[in-house]
Amino acid sequence: MDTTSKLAGGRASARPPRRRNTVKYRQTVTAYTFLLVPLLFFLLVRFIPTFMALRLSLFDWNILREQQPFVGLENYTTLVADEKFLQSLKNTALYTVIGVPLQIILGLGLALMLGRVRAFRGFYRALYFAPYVTPIVAAAWVWQWVFSPQFGPVNTVLDWLHLPPQSFLTSPDQALATTAGLVVWQNLGFQVVLFLAGLAAIPRSYYEAAEIDGATGSQAFWRITLPLLNPTIVFSVVTGTIAYLQLFTQVVNLNFTDQGGPLGSTLTVAVYIYQLAFGRFQMGYASAVTVVLFVIILIITLLQLRFLTRRYDT
Amino acid sequence: MTAASSAPRKRVDMRTLLVYVALTVGVIITLFPFIWMVLTSLKGFQELFNLNFLPSQPTLDNYRQVLTETRFLQWFGNSLLVAGVTTVSVLFFDSLVGYTLAKFDFPGKNIVFVLILSTLMIPTEMLVIPWFVGVSDLGLTKSVPGAYFSIMFPGLISAFGVFLMRQFFDTLPNDLLEAARIDGMHEFGIFWRIAMPLVRPALASLAIFTFLGNWNAFLWPLIVIQQPQFRTLPIGTALFNGEAGTQWGLIMAASSLAVIPVLIVFAIFQRQIIEGVVLTGMKG
Amino acid sequence: MKKFLTLALALTVSASAAPVTLTYWQYDFATKVSTMDALIKKFEAQNPDIKIKQETFPYDAYNQKVASSVPAGQGPDVVNLFYGWLPQYVDSGFLQPLPAKDFSTQQIESNFVPMIKTSKIGGQYYALPTSVRTLAVFYNKDLFKQARIVPPRTWEDFIAAGQKIVKGAPPRFSVLGFGIQPDGQDYHVVREVLVRQFGGSPFSKDGKKVTYDSAAGVQAMTFYTELMTKYKLGVPNFFPGNNSYRDAFIAGKVGMIVDGSFAVGAIQKGAKFNWGVLPLPVLKSNGVRGNFGSYWVNGITKNAKGDKLAASIKFLKFLTSDETQRTWLDSVGEIPASRKLSGTAALRTNPVYGPFVSGLPFASSTLFVDEAGQRKAWVDAINTVLLQGNSPANAVKRAAAEEQKILDGYYK
């Protein structure tokens, strides 16, 4: 309990001194009454199936086989020497390191700019939102055209600039970055909406007070906007990281017949899990990969919550 | 946003102009693929691969085919139902849980939060088999309401939304809720009538994200849907991708049509995101 | 009284013989679904006590859909599967062996084209096809005419023709001589056709050992990869999308592609130029001919028991009958699986189907145990040569090691 509360941002220690027991008791009863249905839901729909799935990691469990022998930790020992898995792990880390900061900086920047303009504000917002709603099958095809080494406008522009044409998605060296580009492009609309909501939640009176105190624009940003936006930023970082660590849809759709890109160059852990589980039906092994991915995500999330969450007084 | 208004008038205009230029350039870049999708949907089969940006002979033939030769409207209706119900459910339950986690002090609170958050960390592909075994054992797919329920149940409450709402409720001042408590308001009333209206921007964005997420869901509907009349839009559109060829014109037309309800949901809720400024600005 | 009892008994018997309903699954393809609907209607008219319910699913996710129904104890009574998936579905106990009294091995092997032997697992047949596929070269007659060349019969002529047609240079082409695509049908050509043409054999007789890690294997890999690296006839993924080479051919921007007979419909519908079909080339004018055969089969699952099993056997007989095969050829355009029907003069001389049918006698199909895994092993190996400059010898070694590992895992 203590470690968890620390990891989750140490909010317990920041609370005012304990109220009277009766108040605390009432709060506890109310809280669990509110939580009853949702917790039951999570138990039945998430925890039990998760447990069932993860247990398979101890078996040589193939969907299409009658015998599912218990193998102990064998799946895990195989994993350590599995080059495909290690490659997917490295790729996933790269996607996360490129994608998460990029989409937050671009998303926040655009949201701040959209906050500045008055004319056509709604119009611009809707336009930035458009990539996010474009169905992935269509988006992936268009992205392949845009970055087509043969006919794509990007190579045409490079040609005008007398730069050598690039191979993009068909090259093992460039496929990952090109794929990350699609993900950031699609997620941008989401980030903009999120940060607009976050900015909207900051009381205007703070800025008015700052103005009276003669603060400059950048001072207001660093002292008011950024600290008060902390819950939104934490949310964006944590959910963004979780999403990138499970990156799947865009990777699969960009190289459909050779999923995971040329020579596995865009392969992510989640795509590898899918290939093992639903391409080759090796559920047991896929489950072991899932356990490793889960542990990685859990540790990163707890660290992020611990170190990024800032309390401020309202 | 308003921070810049303290600067001299002339500089503001210069800066605003720059912002407009930046936004417009950004829009062109981000919108290019989207526009390409719509333009491609207007191209006939022969033109599809001609690589021209603009269709030389725009045609609505793809739309005609999608609307009259496939069960598009049925897929559309199913998706609307599934995404609509899950969104309403998520808005209510996720707010309730997020509020409880942000504003109550009770033992086990952080454990509950981390446990709920941990459900985001297991890829769906590992859960679909246990879900499908469960749904089959319960015989849910046999009746019509059962079939719809089995498509939507995994999305009825989302850890993602719980986290989002917790973050936003966290910023609400406690005194406001205490005041209502002193006035003798019951706890659910405080949540529903005091707290909820104050987090409208977050609710609006959650509505948009949830609707879209369920609108586009693929793997679980694929596994669970047996009869063609329950197919959702992504499953229906996947039929255009055949063994010997993909009907790109139809995919682009269906995708362009699929965007419309999401944009409508966005148009309805985005106003809420901005109005939130006024509401939250009142207290403070 | 006794009469009355007999009558009552007779009534209950006829009541219990209420129609049996079978569920049939196949992937969704417009003409296949409508043809099957018509066939079902015909079958139901012949068998009033049997009802068939057809359910279809998106092609790309069909295997996933069928597989996930297995642990849930759900799914169809009669199912359409790719032959390469059979070993896994047999292993899972999902498929029942075809009863010998209804489908005798001897009869099957004399009636059907030879490639269906890959459906015999542990000495028993588990499923049978209605139709089969082979590979051939589709070529753009207009581009050939412009370049003043004739259709190639040998690989040498194939390369010469490609070189005359290709426009542009790597990495920017505007027209390809050959629409190279390792993850299309090409890897089958290397493994099952070129390896044999260079005098090797891809697998041991029992299919448990890879034997292409040989001089012939290296020659095959060298030959194929040089189409791009040395002769620069084209690049993979020329067009976007998952049917890149075929879409590019349909758009008129590729001289030749290697594709299956299942592509005929899409090309017929899309291509607005003169095109033709050629048998797969040979090394020398009288050299070894080879082809890769594949097919979808219908099998009976463990869900069919008692009355349902009897009904399923009837339905399967109907689906594999000569009459159904003829209907299938006329409405779907797929080559009949029967030796007799695929060997008719009308088919052999047909300008489109002829080259495919002519490949049937020497078409071999790979005995897959893990289709996705074995395919990946080859596609990756070829790509190390095309994209990373690996030597063909090392690439063959890599593919062999990877594929042998998969085979060993299955046969252990």
Side-chain angles (χ1 to χ4, degrees):
Chain A
M1 174 66 207
D2 259 343
T3 39
T4 348
S5 76
K6 251 187 215 145
L7 286 167
R11 46 195 65 234
S13 57
R15 292 260 165 222
R18 220 165 249 250
R19 289 174 207 129
R20 274 182 302 126
N21 262 345
T22 48
V23 175
K24 169 112 184 167
Y25 176 74
R26 260 212 324 266
Q27 284 217 355
T28 306
V29 172
T30 317
Y32 278 104
T33 314
F34 283 179
L35 291 177
L36 187 67
V37 173
L39 283 183
L40 208 64
F41 172 87
F42 281 116
L43 181 73
L44 290 174
V45 174
R46 296 285 171 169
F47 296 134
I48 294 177
T50 301
F51 178 75
M52 283 163 67
L54 298 189
R55 202 182 67 97
L56 302 184
S57 71
L58 302 176
F59 294 81
D60 181 9
W61 210 94
N62 189 309
I63 299 182
L64 297 182
R65 220 182 307 127
E66 272 181 309
Q67 308 287 317
Q68 317 289 8
F70 178 83
V71 291
L73 295 177
E74 198 184 291
N75 283 326
Y76 293 92
T77 49
T78 315
L79 205 61
V80 182
D82 181 348
E83 274 174 41
K84 275 260 143 66
F85 169 66
L86 298 175
Q87 186 186 18
S88 73
L89 210 56
K90 197 188 97 199
N91 289 344
T92 306
L94 267 172
Y95 280 118
T96 312
V97 172
I98 298 172
V100 176
L102 200 62
Q103 72 183 29
I104 289 177
I105 291 167
L106 287 174
L108 180 56
L110 284 170
L112 286 169
M113 286 203 280
L114 285 169
R116 281 179 91 105
V117 302
R118 294 203 184 281
F120 306 117
R121 196 202 312 224
F123 177 69
Y124 277 115
R125 266 199 309 262
L127 294 186
Y128 276 108
F129 192 61
Y132 182 54
V133 302
T134 309
I136 178 63
V137 188
W141 193 72
V142 170
W143 203 253
Q144 284 172 299
W145 266 132
V146 171
F147 286 97
S148 162
Q150 326 296 334
F151 327 102
V154 177
N155 260 353
T156 308
V157 170
L158 289 179
D159 200 37
W160 286 342
L161 301 172
H162 298 287
L163 292 168
Q166 301 298 315
S167 302
F168 300 114
L169 284 165
T170 56
S171 140
D173 302 322
Q174 298 172 1
L176 188 140
T178 317
T179 307
L182 173 64
V183 185
V184 171
W185 173 72
Q186 280 215 300
N187 286 357
L188 205 55
F190 170 89
Q191 297 295 328
V192 170
V193 170
L194 185 68
F195 282 115
L196 279 173
L199 290 171
I202 300 175
R204 240 183 230 174
S205 50
Y206 289 9
Y207 290 108
E208 283 153 17
E211 213 173 314
I212 292 163
D213 292 349
T216 63
S218 70
Q219 279 174 331
F221 174 77
W222 290 107
R223 297 213 191 126
I224 300 171
T225 311
L226 214 53
L228 283 159
L229 212 51
N230 178 272
T232 314
I233 295 173
V234 170
F235 177 80
S236 177
V237 171
V238 171
T239 56
T241 308
I242 291 177
Y244 271 91
L245 289 173
Q246 295 181 50
L247 192 63
F248 176 77
T249 317
Q250 288 90 348
V251 178
V252 163
N253 281 285
L254 273 179
N255 292 79
F256 205 91
T257 42
D258 188 13
Q259 293 179 351
L263 296 168
S265 51
T266 67
L267 185 73
T268 61
V269 178
V271 173
Y272 190 51
I273 291 172
Y274 181 77
Q275 287 178 346
L276 289 170
F278 281 97
R280 309 181 61 185
F281 308 117
Q282 301 168 352
M283 265 293 165
Y285 191 52
S287 172
V289 179
T290 309
V291 171
V292 174
L293 180 66
F294 173 76
V295 170
I296 292 172
I297 299 179
L298 184 68
I299 292 171
I300 292 178
T301 303
L302 292 177
L303 288 175
Q304 285 175 337
L305 285 173
R306 177 77 184 81
F307 290 105
L308 292 177
T309 306
R310 295 271 178 277
R311 299 293 302 176
Y312 54 90
D313 298 315
T314 38
Chain B
M1 24 181 65
T2 44
S5 59
S6 61
R9 189 104 204 114
K10 227 178 174 179
R11 263 188 63 208
V12 171
D13 287 341
M14 222 12 234
R15 270 204 210 174
T16 313
L17 193 71
L18 275 176
V19 167
Y20 271 108
V21 170
L23 281 175
T24 309
V25 171
V27 156
I28 292 169
I29 294 172
T30 50
L31 214 58
F32 182 73
F34 179 81
I35 291 172
W36 201 332
M37 169 183 82
V38 178
L39 289 175
T40 307
S41 74
L42 299 171
K43 290 178 183 171
F45 191 85
Q46 274 315 300
E47 244 204 306
L48 202 63
F49 297 119
N50 273 355
L51 326 176
N52 301 328
F53 186 64
L54 289 170
S56 64
Q57 294 164 313
T59 165
L60 289 175
D61 195 54
N62 290 322
Y63 290 90
R64 184 194 56 76
Q65 273 194 55
V66 163
L67 291 172
T68 61
E69 289 169 21
T70 74
R71 297 213 205 179
F72 182 84
L73 292 175
Q74 196 180 39
W75 307 336
F76 198 87
N78 287 336
S79 279
L80 219 49
L81 179 73
V82 170
V85 172
T86 45
T87 304
V88 171
S89 167
V90 160
L91 283 183
F92 176 76
F93 283 110
D94 284 23
S95 313
L96 187 65
V97 179
Y99 172 78
T100 310
L101 290 175
K103 288 299 166 200
F104 286 98
D105 204 8
F106 59 93
K109 175 166 131 165
N110 289 312
I111 290 179
V112 168
F113 174 61
V114 172
L115 274 178
I116 291 179
L117 202 57
S118 74
T119 63
L120 284 178
M121 304 170 192
I122 301 288
T124 316
E125 53 257 46
M126 289 311 289
L127 296 177
V128 292
I129 298 271
W131 285 342
F132 190 52
V133 171
V135 163
S136 306
D137 288 351
L138 295 174
L140 274 182
T141 46
K142 294 206 171 78
S143 69
V144 172
Y148 280 115
F149 177 76
S150 42
I151 301 170
M152 58 179 76
F153 84 84
L156 289 175
I157 306 180
S158 95
F160 174 86
V162 167
F163 185 23
L164 181 76
M165 295 318 293
R166 170 189 177 269
Q167 296 299 86
F168 275 79
F169 278 119
D170 222 22
T171 62
L172 285 191
N174 283 327
D175 358 340
L176 219 74
L177 311 176
E178 281 303 330
R181 232 164 245 144
I182 290 161
D183 287 349
M185 204 174 209
H186 62 90
E187 287 295 343
F188 187 79
I190 298 173
F191 158 70
W192 191 248
R193 278 190 265 148
I194 309 286
M196 280 292 260
L198 293 175
V199 290
R200 273 199 206 165
L203 281 173
S205 25
L206 181 59
I208 296 168
F209 302 153
T210 309
F211 188 88
L212 188 68
N214 287 289
W215 185 254
N216 286 339
F218 183 77
L219 186 61
W220 172 241
L222 168 81
I223 302 295
V224 78
I225 295 170
Q226 313 276 28
Q227 320 279 341
Q229 71 262 31
F230 298 117
R231 280 179 189 150
T232 55
L233 211 44
I235 306 300
T237 314
L239 300 175
F240 299 149
N241 194 357
E243 181 180 17
T246 303
Q247 293 166 289
W248 289 111
L250 300 191
I251 287 189
M252 295 299 156
S255 301
S256 304
L257 290 172
V259 164
I260 295 170
V262 191
L263 286 181
I264 290 174
V265 171
F266 179 74
I268 294 169
F269 286 104
Q270 70 142 349
R271 182 148 299 176
Q272 298 287 332
I273 295 176
I274 298 313
E275 275 177 11
V277 181
V278 185
L279 277 164
T280 42
M282 286 196 314
K283 43 104 198 168
Chain C
M1 187 65 193
K2 207 173 180 185
K3 245 185 189 167
F4 177 76
L5 270 178
T6 330
L7 189 71
L9 202 68
L11 275 175
T12 45
V13 167
S14 66
S16 75
V20 185
T21 302
L22 298 179
T23 308
Y24 176 70
W25 278 11
Q26 67 169 341
Y27 63 87
D28 195 286
F29 183 77
T31 53
K32 287 197 174 188
V33 176
S34 58
T35 308
M36 187 53 75
D37 278 337
L39 285 169
I40 286 172
K41 213 168 265 167
K42 194 165 128 196
F43 178 76
E44 285 175 345
Q46 290 167 8
N47 301 276
D49 54 336
I50 305 175
K51 292 263 164 290
I52 312 274
K53 199 168 76 189
Q54 180 184 203
E55 290 177 352
T56 62
F57 304 94
Y59 171 74
D60 274 322
Y62 182 66
N63 196 18
Q64 284 79 333
K65 172 68 200 171
V66 179
S68 58
S69 75
V70 176
Q74 295 269 306
D77 302 295
V78 180
V79 66
N80 193 235
L81 294 170
F82 184 63
Y83 86 94
W85 304 337
L86 278 181
Q88 286 174 311
Y89 282 102
V90 168
D91 257 21
S92 68
F94 184 62
L95 288 178
Q96 304 188 29
L98 302 179
K101 68 173 171 33
D102 298 294
F103 302 91
S104 87
T105 305
Q106 198 202 345
Q107 218 172 13
I108 290 173
E109 289 177 1
S110 65
N111 285 351
F112 287 86
V113 292
M115 68 166 92
I116 61 127
K117 287 210 181 86
T118 37
S119 297
K120 191 176 177 180
I121 294 160
Q124 271 180 310
Y125 278 94
Y126 282 81
L128 288 172
T130 304
S131 60
V132 292
R133 291 101 180 261
T134 54
L135 301 179
V137 174
F138 288 82
Y139 72 107
N140 184 322
K141 283 186 176 168
D142 292 358
L143 290 178
F144 269 65
K145 210 169 161 189
Q146 276 168 34
R148 295 168 197 281
I149 39 176
V150 291
R153 299 282 159 200
T154 64
W155 284 115
E156 200 183 319
D157 294 346
F158 181 91
I159 294 169
Q163 282 179 314
K164 289 234 173 74
I165 288 167
V166 68
K167 287 198 188 79
R172 295 205 98 186
F173 289 96
S174 56
V175 176
L176 300 188
F178 169 50
I180 190 171
Q181 191 73 30
D183 52 9
Q185 301 297 319
D186 292 4
Y187 74 101
H188 295 304
V189 174
V190 187
R191 180 167 54 188
E192 292 290 349
V193 181
L194 285 171
V195 169
R196 284 178 219 271
Q197 291 185 330
F198 279 103
S201 72
F203 296 98
S204 62
K205 264 231 163 70
D206 58 6
K208 292 183 185 172
K209 286 269 172 287
V210 304
T211 50
Y212 52 75
D213 186 10
S214 60
V218 176
Q219 277 175 297
M221 180 68 90
T222 309
F223 178 84
Y224 173 73
T225 51
E226 280 186 347
L227 295 176
M228 173 179 150
T229 57
K230 185 170 166 193
Y231 302 108
K232 310 205 189 309
L233 302 184
V235 280
N237 302 307
F238 184 52
F239 265 40
N242 42 359
N243 298 293
S244 166
Y245 66 105
R246 191 182 301 129
D247 283 352
F249 180 78
I250 291 174
K253 293 196 179 290
V254 174
M256 298 174 282
I257 56 170
V258 171
D259 216 338
S261 38
F262 50 86
V264 168
I267 291 171
Q268 240 157 13
K269 188 175 160 229
K272 292 285 177 283
F273 51 84
N274 294 306
W275 54 276
V277 185
L278 298 169
L280 289 184
V282 285
L283 278 175
K284 289 179 291 250
S285 55
N286 56 351
V288 180
R289 295 191 64 186
N291 211 312
F292 169 72
S294 63
Y295 49 97
W296 285 72
V297 286
N298 289 306
I300 302 170
T301 74
K302 64 178 172 192
N303 298 334
K305 292 182 191 103
D307 284 354
K308 277 187 159 191
L309 178 58
S312 300
I313 291 169
K314 270 190 191 166
F315 187 50
L316 189 62
K317 280 195 161 169
F318 173 78
L319 287 180
T320 51
S321 69
D322 282 4
E323 209 181 329
T324 302
Q325 291 191 22
R326 253 184 242 119
T327 313
W328 205 252
L329 171 68
D330 294 338
S331 332
V332 185
E334 288 198 310
I335 300 165
S338 129
R339 276 178 207 258
K340 194 177 76 212
L341 293 178
S342 60
T344 60
L347 261 187
R348 274 188 287 125
T349 54
N350 183 299
V352 173
Y353 288 101
F356 291 105
V357 174
S358 76
L360 279 171
F362 32 80
S364 20
S365 32
T366 310
L367 185 63
F368 287 110
V369 297
D370 171 358
E371 196 245 341
Q374 286 172 266
R375 170 192 149 90
K376 186 89 186 140
W378 264 86
V379 171
D380 278 0
I382 294 172
N383 274 336
T384 60
V385 184
L386 297 185
L387 304 173
Q388 290 181 324
N390 191 9
S391 78
N394 282 337
V396 169
K397 218 169 233 108
R398 179 191 159 126
E402 186 72 22
E403 195 165 14
Q404 188 62 57
K405 207 168 85 190
I406 294 170
L407 293 178
D408 290 346
Y410 180 82
Y411 290 112
K412 75 181 169 198

